[in-house]
Amino acid sequence: MDAIHGLLTGFQVALSIQGLLFVFIGVAVGTIIGMIPGLGPITAIAVMIPITYGMSPAIALLLMAGVYYGAAYGGSASSILLNAPGVSESVATTFDGYPLAKQGKAGKALAVAAIGSFIGGTISIILLTFLAPFLSKIAISFGPPEYFALMLLGLTALASLSDGSTIKSLISATIGFMFATVGIDAQTGTPRFTFGNIHLLQGIDFLIIALGLFALAEVASLILNRNEKAIDQSKIGSLKLTKKEYKEVAGTIGRQSLLGFLIGVLPGAGGTIASFLAYLSEKRLSKHPEEFGKGSLRGVAAPETANNAASSGAFVPLLSLGIPGSGSTAVMLGALIVLGVQPGPLLVNEHPDIFWGVIASMYIGNIILLILNLPLIPYISKVLKISKPLLISLIIVFCIIGVYGVSFNVFDLYLLIGFGILGFVMRLIDFPAAPFILAFILGGMMEQSLRQSLTISNGSISIFFTSPVALVFIILSFLSFLIPVIQIIRRNNRANSAISKGA
């Protein structure tokens, strides 16, 4: 009953004229920024901070929260239409979203992304409403051993990201790990793999690698294959899903809403890990895993649902514990402190208008986002009708502006070109880019968690087996790695049996 009473208090704030106006502005700005490769929710929220000066803290947070989950909504557009993920949360969407666009099914891919985002966000908000105090206790119980085991689980599923050679997937992941270690070692302060270049001391930004491996590699492929007869990619296709397609994605959306929310609750995990784990788990559960990566609607629904559910889940540690769950919520935490509000266990009692106002605004914001996005899909999809030379030019311009706009460093543009060449070469020799990206994203966090765990235990690895949660994750990791090996052995035995029978 306390939750319902609090929610009614929140709706009084969110349904005021000022509240509705700033929720609408937030989600609209967030959606537009999310669609532009190179910009993301952190940039958008940072830009909004000066605007919030003089506002009441409740309205200010409504605006920033709207930008946050609006950007998560909009990020799917550039991933599906251009194969250019501007933020890490939308990388997994490219795996099946772009192949669907190439097949003339961009409309369905964007519709599934919008519907999955709406349902995932809504389910996550309902869970946030009633379970925030309980889940905050679980979130704070996650220490370095649990985080390391969780990252290990994500990495052992690498073989699922490629339908080809498992060895190639592991090599690709190893290279991703290597690039993740570039920069100053956080524990010892020692420069690693910088080769005396001061521009590499801060490491390599994710955006450079993502746009290089996906967007620029795609541009190189389009240029070199320009004389080949291509599929008519300008056909947007119908937005309507058949009953069979609705049934196909319904279970996916339901499962990944829950998974995404739970991952989002963990401080530091965020939408990126949620989207990758959602994609991997859905591929493992599918009766036809070979369809993933070639244009599966479930492959779009899973990451889009999970990353939006995680966006709402990230507010649990922020509001309940004062711990930011991602870079975006860290910026919001700073903005709230500047406004004189300290998020934490006392927030719900001292500032119920802020705590419940944000939660209530999410219900409204999700509805506004669905109303905004579905009718705009035909117009957004028209980017595919742009002539190929102009489209190639636009992708290159977006990549350059996106990378240079983050650091204002020309060296980063050289890195962008380098990763574009690497991505194209990987395509030529059939090395998957997805394991590279996942290992790069998880590498730094995994190394830090491992070091912290061994420091706590004085170098003993028993710390990973004495924690029940970490032990469960490690067992799942072992099974995740073992099952594909068993499947390959069985497949080879069947093939040998069929050959011997034929002989």
Side-chain angles (χ1 to χ4, degrees), residues 161-185:
L161 289 175
S162 173
D163 292 322
S165 169
T166 302
I167 298 297
K168 287 184 177 181
S169 292
L170 294 174
I171 292 172
S172 180
T174 302
I175 297 170
F177 264 125
M178 290 167 64
F179 279 106
T181 60
V182 173
I184 294 178
D185 184 346

Side-chain angles (χ1 to χ4, degrees), residues 64 342 388 400:
M64 290 186 286
Q342 178 63 56
K388 189 177 287 187
I400 291 172

Side-chain angles (χ1 to χ4, degrees), residues 221-240:
S221 181
L222 288 171
I223 293 171
L224 290 179
N225 300 324
R226 62 187 181 278
N227 295 324
E228 292 182 12
K229 188 176 180 182
I231 299 168
D232 185 6
Q233 198 175 324
S234 64
K235 291 181 180 177
I236 296 164
S238 172
L239 273 67
K240 295 181 180 178

Side-chain angles (χ1 to χ4, degrees), residues 314-486:
F315 281 89
V316 172
L318 175 67
L319 298 178
S320 301
L321 303 171
I323 301 171
S326 63
S328 303
T329 50
V331 176
M332 278 189 266
L333 175 63
L336 280 175
I337 292 171
V338 169
L339 291 167
V341 177
Q342 178 63 56
L346 300 177
L347 181 67
V348 67
N349 294 321
E350 294 180 353
H351 300 280
D353 56 328
I354 296 176
F355 185 90
W356 292 108
V358 170
I359 294 175
S361 75
M362 290 181 182
Y363 287 97
I364 299 165
N366 253 347
I367 295 169
I368 293 173
L369 280 167
L370 190 66
I371 294 169
L372 276 176
N373 278 268
L374 281 179
L376 289 176
I377 286 174
Y379 303 100
I380 296 169
S381 301
K382 284 186 178 178
V383 70
L384 295 176
K385 292 189 175 181
I386 299 172
S387 64
K388 189 177 287 187
L390 181 57
L391 184 61
I392 288 171
S393 304
L394 284 173
I395 294 172
I396 293 172
V397 168
F398 273 133
C399 290
I400 291 172
I401 292 173
V403 169
Y404 188 73
V406 171
S407 63
F408 298 102
N409 188 349
V410 176
F411 181 77
D412 285 350
L413 298 180
Y414 293 124
L415 285 177
L416 175 67
I417 294 168
F419 280 107
I421 295 169
L422 176 62
F424 181 67
V425 171
M426 288 174 71
R427 285 186 177 209
L428 289 179
I429 58 178
D430 201 26
F431 271 72
F436 183 110
I437 285 284
L438 181 58
F440 178 81
I441 291 169
L442 298 183
M445 292 185 284
M446 192 172 180
E447 181 189 17
Q448 184 181 5
S449 298
L450 176 62
R451 283 179 157 186
Q452 289 173 340
S453 300
L454 294 177
T455 301
I456 292 168
S457 65
N458 291 321
S460 173
I461 62 169
S462 62
I463 191 171
F464 299 109
F465 304 100
T466 53
S467 164
V469 175
L471 182 60
V472 168
F473 281 143
I474 288 171
I475 292 170
L476 290 174
S477 301
F478 179 73
L479 293 175
S480 178
F481 187 79
L482 191 63
I483 289 170
V485 174
I486 295 171

